[in-house]
Amino acid sequence: MCGIIGYTGPLMARDVILQGLHQLEYRGYDSAGMALLTEDGGMYLRKKVGQVSALEAVCEPDIPAHCGIGHTRWATHGGVTDANAHPHAVGKVVLLYNGIIENYHTISRQFGFEGLATSETDTEVAAQLINYYYGQTGNPYEAIRRSIEIIEGSYAFCILFTDIPGTIYAIRNVSPLVAASSEQGSFIASDVTALISYTKEYFVVPEQHILTITQDQIRMETLDGTVVKPEMLEVTWDVEAAQKGGYPHFMLKEIYEQPEVFQKTIMPRLVEGLPNFEVDGVPDPLFQRCHSIQVIACGTAMYAGMVGRAIMEKQLRIPVSVSIASEFRYDTPLLDPGTLVIVVSQSGETIDTLAALRLAKECGCPVLSIVNVKGSTIARESDYVLYTHAGPEIAVASTKAYMVQLAVFYLITARMMLVRGAAEEAQVKDFIASLAKAPEWIQDALGQGDAIRKQAEKMAFSRDAFFIGRGMDYAFSLEGALKLKEISYIHAEAYAAGELKHGTIALIEPGVPVIALATQDHIFNKTISNIREVKARGAYVILITKKGVPVSSEVCDVHLEIPVEDDRFTVFPCAVLLQLLAYYTAYAKGYDMDKPRNLAKSVTVE
Ligand code: F6R
């Protein structure tokens, strides 16, 4: 949430910052701003409501400045206005940030800043506070250190002092920041997508360390002044991975990347047809000792966990619970060290998931995380990590990350089947052989794009849509409904098919689209009966089944098929069909599905 970029070096700061903001726009796009320290000792500040292009339009070209900071906002405190956009300038301090200052009212009252504000944001209070201490001490490090002692909340700050040319200061708590130094100057940003055009080597800024960033070096100190050497990481993907590559939208590109990222995620973990986590350093006793599993995540990652639960309980016969991280973190969970906690997060930054992880650790549980972003906070705080290899996911609506989260759940299940003796080695090999066919099934589903597009055009102007299924199909439906609502703004609900008649069927009226999944043999007839119930009330039914299953033409209006025989693996092509349905519906409505309203990638506030 909120994109941050800072640059100091030989290049024109305006251009580097605008380019970085374009790359980071998926983190927030209410408004954008930049501040530059100009060659003549002045400060250039521009802020604008709207996307980064709106900011670009008000920034003159060729501004003589080689140091500056930029921000793209997802509003928390204060509405979407030019005044509330970042950076905020107070006295000699210009700053921007990502996060929430929880005690900003108290600070404002205590230091007498009330009445001085030019915006409605908590950010301005931080600028006032740092400026206050800078006035008292004349020392930027001291001003930041003293302010940080008072500020409560999560934050990633980038700070300029107008009388210190060529230097950016930064500090973070929870909210992410990465930094890098190269021949082209020094950079700081919310994530590596903004740096990748300049360097592949970077480091994750540790919490509560003050960075002093100058053209040719980045100095990092703890709050007691000890200089610390950063731990360098390398980006493993190319700059093209964060570009559209000829597709009209990142979302479509990412949907089409799924066969490839699936392979990348599972292949390094297969040895002689069996799952193996040696390269990841995940030991077998972790899987052998646990008596139950607790999955924790948010949104799409949580829905991947629901499929994970279905497959793990089926194959392993141990209890698996799935919790919404924002609920779990304020619960009094019944966990003990015998519960394996699996945390799922694409970004590795989601604040609720991180807080839930910390709570699970307090309960003494071992934590294994499934994360896409290398070096992210959740990855670093977990006992063990299984990275998904989706590459950068830029579209706000998650698609390929969900797919590889599923892949990892299936791999974990297979390894646990083996090491817990829940299946013979030959059965595990068969399970893996089926899993390895998923890219073919995904490809088949991608080939149905045109048929889905026609259906999407038909349902584009519906007010509501329902997704129904039983068992595993219900778990897939939840993700299908979320995808549709978040990018097409159609009210979409997923229901366990048998539960509809306990209330929700009242909403079924002629023409309302019902997307029905019936891919599970043992409950197929039951699901078909539920579909008949909605059909009898005039619903427009799009039915997804396995290939070759006899379906009477009275049951549905459209019949889509997936080429999978084994019920346990139907999620992979189903996920693609539902993603395409959401994508083409938003497309038919003319929406920008890469930047849906009110959303942003990486939810770093509660
Ligand atoms: C929806 C979506 C979100 C995320 C959720 C968790 O398309 O992307 O629901 O899945 O915000 O994010 P991560 O996985 O980064 O923790």
Side-chain angles (χ1 to χ4, degrees), residues 298-301 344-348 350 396-398 405 482-483 486 603:
C298 298
T300 291
V344 194
S345 177
Q346 185 283 126
S347 61
T350 304
V396 165
S398 182
Q405 286 160 357
L482 177 63
K483 263 327 59 107
E486 69 181 323
V603 183

Side-chain angles (χ1 to χ4, degrees), residues 181-247:
S181 221
S182 77
E183 281 177 0
Q184 306 198 65
S186 299
F187 304 81
I188 180 133
S190 306
D191 68 56
V192 284
T193 46
L195 314 181
I196 181 90
S197 318
Y198 307 98
T199 176
K200 285 196 151 192
E201 292 230 309
Y202 70 101
F203 64 93
V204 175
V205 177
E207 285 177 319
Q208 302 292 317
H209 286 58
I210 298 178
L211 266 59
T212 307
I213 305 166
T214 49
Q215 157 151 357
D216 40 26
Q217 68 157 348
I218 300 180
R219 181 184 164 90
M220 189 161 83
E221 285 159 276
T222 58
L223 293 180
D224 62 12
T226 311
V227 176
V228 181
K229 206 169 168 272
E231 220 177 277
M232 300 309 291
L233 295 172
E234 204 179 323
V235 185
T236 49
W237 39 269
D238 291 323
V239 73
E240 294 78 47
Q243 292 168 348
K244 285 188 195 151
Y247 285 88

Side-chain angles (χ1 to χ4, degrees), residues 297-303 344-351 353 370 372-373 378 393 395-399 401-402 405 479 482-483 486-487 599-603:
C298 298
T300 291
M302 197 255 301
Y303 292 147
V344 194
S345 177
Q346 185 283 126
S347 61
E349 286 172 13
T350 304
I351 197 158
T353 311
I370 302 174
N372 195 43
V373 177
I378 289 177
E393 190 178 61
V396 165
S398 182
T399 53
Y402 171 73
Q405 286 160 357
E479 173 57 9
L482 177 63
K483 263 327 59 107
E486 69 181 323
I487 60 168
L599 300 181
K601 198 91 179 154
S602 301
V603 183

